[in-house]
Structure formats: structure tokens, C-alpha cells
Amino acid sequence: MNEMILEELRGTGILAVFAKSVLCIICGGAIGLERGINRQAAGFRTHVVVCVGACIAMLTGQYITEYVSAGSDTARLGAQVISGIGFLGAGTIISTDVGHRVRGLTTAAGLWAAACIGLAVGIGYYEAAVIGTLAVFATMVAFKRVDKLFYSRSSVLITYLEMDNMDHVHDLITSLRSNGLTISSVEVQKPKSGMKRNVGVSLVIRKHNRKDRVDMLDVINSAPGLVFVESMT
């Protein structure tokens, strides 16, 4: 009896469409909720819409095969979803001025995963959809601590700071090098604070000793003429 119900829910009937839509709301919403909590561009609603939309595309392909043209390819519409979702993911990816760091890649990947989950639900492969959702959600939530652990042990520090004049910038670079740090990149920018007399500088610093990130920032904070400093990693 249970197998008969499950087979019915894998089809294109009204009950199946309803069940698949609800599952997409749950799966896509779980991924989107985590992104929304972290104030990312694509949050709960975006992921739900992407997941449900992908499900509809797959359902439509399945419906065409069953009722319109038996020789058509069920996965054709789904394949277009996979390639087409890129434009939406690209909208969540930005490149920051400081250290040319790219942000939003995880959100873009989450949207792509939500679309794939929607396709799995649409064709009735519920097992893959549920397990895939759990895997993606676990990666975004539980593995975030692992990600932060690796970043905290990174030998590279990307920081933005503002000095009151250019001479103090040269003094800071000299001080960093004397403390066993290598300046991989220096970029002078307009000060974000709006103070025209300040000098905005983005630095990519690499350590070659046992100094941790706090020690690296302490060296910067002790520099004369420092107005503002922000760690970007």
C-alpha cells in the first residue's frame, strides 16, 4: 500500500504536484533560511522560488513525455534550468575592493543546489532530494565552524585601514616587515570614512613566523597615525 502511494506521488497528478511543491518549500526553505539569517542577498524566499520553479520545469517535462509526446526527453527542461540558474547565482556574487575578495559564492552554490533539489523532487526522486537537502544544510551550518577554523589559522590577513598621512603608511609597512611579515599587496584607495585628509589602504599580509592573527593586528594597531582598521578575513 505504501509503495503504491509513493509511486502515485512520483507522478504528475494533482496530489503529486501538491506534495512535490510542499517538499520543495521545505527543502529550498531550509537552505534559504540559513542564508537569510546570515544576511545574504538570496534568502528564504529566493531559494524556495528557485526550488519550486525547478520542480515545475521537471514536472512539465515529465508531463510532456506522458501525455503529449512519448518520444520527448523528460530531462530537457531540467537541463535548461541547470544552465539557466547561473544568471541568478551571478547576481549574488560581488567582488569587494579590499584584497579583491569575492563574496557570495556559497549563496550562488546554494541556489544551484536548490534548483537541483527541485529537479529531483519534480521527477519524484524524493530520497535524493531529502538527503541532498540535509547534506547541503549540514555543509552550510555545521561545516561553517570548520571553515572559520581554517581561516583563523591562515597565514594571510586581508585588512583595510586608514592613516592620517602617506608618511605613516610607509612607516607601517616598514614596521610590518621588521616583525617578520610580508606585504603581498598594497592598494591606496579613497578613504571610506569620507575624511578627505585620511589615506585609505588595503593590505594583504602574509606571516612567516608563529604570529597569529591577533598579533598581526596588534602590530598594525600600534602604528602611529592609524585612524581606522578593519580585518576582512
Side-chain angles (χ1 to χ4, degrees), residues 20-34 44 47-48 51-52 109-122 125-143:
K20 291 176 179 180
S21 298
V22 171
L23 185 57
C24 281
I25 292 174
I26 296 173
C27 294
I31 299 172
L33 190 61
E34 190 277 336
F44 178 81
H47 281 79
V48 168
C51 194
V52 173
L111 287 171
W112 183 80
C116 294
I117 291 168
L119 294 176
V121 174
Y125 196 6
Y126 300 116
E127 298 88 342
V130 172
I131 294 173
T133 300
L134 293 175
V136 172
F137 188 80
T139 300
M140 289 185 169
V141 177
F143 291 173

Side-chain angles (χ1 to χ4, degrees), residues 1-224:
M1 184 64 179
N2 291 335
E3 292 184 2
M4 292 179 59
I5 295 175
L6 185 58
E7 287 302 316
E8 177 66 23
L9 293 178
R10 295 188 195 277
T12 55
I14 295 178
L15 182 60
V17 173
F18 179 79
K20 291 176 179 180
S21 298
V22 171
L23 185 57
C24 281
I25 292 174
I26 296 173
C27 294
I31 299 172
L33 190 61
E34 190 277 336
R35 293 286 84 194
I37 291 174
N38 287 278
R39 299 294 189 271
Q40 297 298 316
F44 178 81
R45 291 180 298 173
T46 304
H47 281 79
V48 168
V49 171
V50 167
C51 194
V52 173
C55 177
I56 293 172
M58 184 58 81
L59 274 169
T60 303
Q62 186 180 0
Y63 181 86
I64 292 173
T65 301
E66 292 180 0
Y67 298 101
V68 180
S69 176
S72 63
D73 184 4
T74 306
R76 181 178 299 174
L77 289 176
Q80 298 305 311
V81 171
I82 295 299
S83 60
I85 197 64
F87 84 94
L88 189 59
T92 68
I93 301 174
I94 60 173
S95 177
T96 62
D97 292 334
V98 182
H100 304 288
R101 186 182 179 190
V102 178
R103 303 177 64 90
L105 289 174
T106 302
T107 302
L111 287 171
W112 183 80
C116 294
I117 291 168
L119 294 176
V121 174
I123 202 62
Y125 196 6
Y126 300 116
E127 298 88 342
V130 172
I131 294 173
T133 300
L134 293 175
V136 172
F137 188 80
T139 300
M140 289 185 169
V141 177
F143 291 173
K144 185 183 296 184
R145 296 180 180 178
V146 178
D147 207 20
K148 288 183 178 180
L149 178 62
F150 278 103
Y151 271 118
S152 65
R153 296 184 177 181
S154 173
S155 62
V156 177
L157 173 68
I158 302 175
T159 183
Y160 169 80
L161 52 90
E162 291 185 15
M163 311 291 286
D164 56 12
N165 63 66
M166 197 64 193
D167 289 336
H168 283 142
V169 175
H170 294 301
D171 293 339
L172 173 62
I173 293 175
T174 301
S175 176
L176 290 171
R177 287 173 176 169
S178 65
N179 278 273
L181 302 173
T182 299
I183 312 299
S184 300
S185 173
V186 180
E187 183 179 343
V188 178
Q189 306 173 349
K190 291 183 179 180
K192 295 181 179 180
S193 63
M195 302 294 290
K196 295 182 179 179
R197 288 180 293 182
N198 291 348
V199 179
V201 182
S202 66
L203 294 174
V204 180
I205 306 169
R206 186 180 300 274
K207 63 179 179 179
H208 293 286
N209 49 32
R210 292 182 175 272
K211 288 184 179 293
D212 58 21
R213 297 169 61 83
V214 176
D215 292 333
M216 295 165 75
L217 288 171
D218 284 343
V219 174
I220 297 174
N221 287 325
S222 63

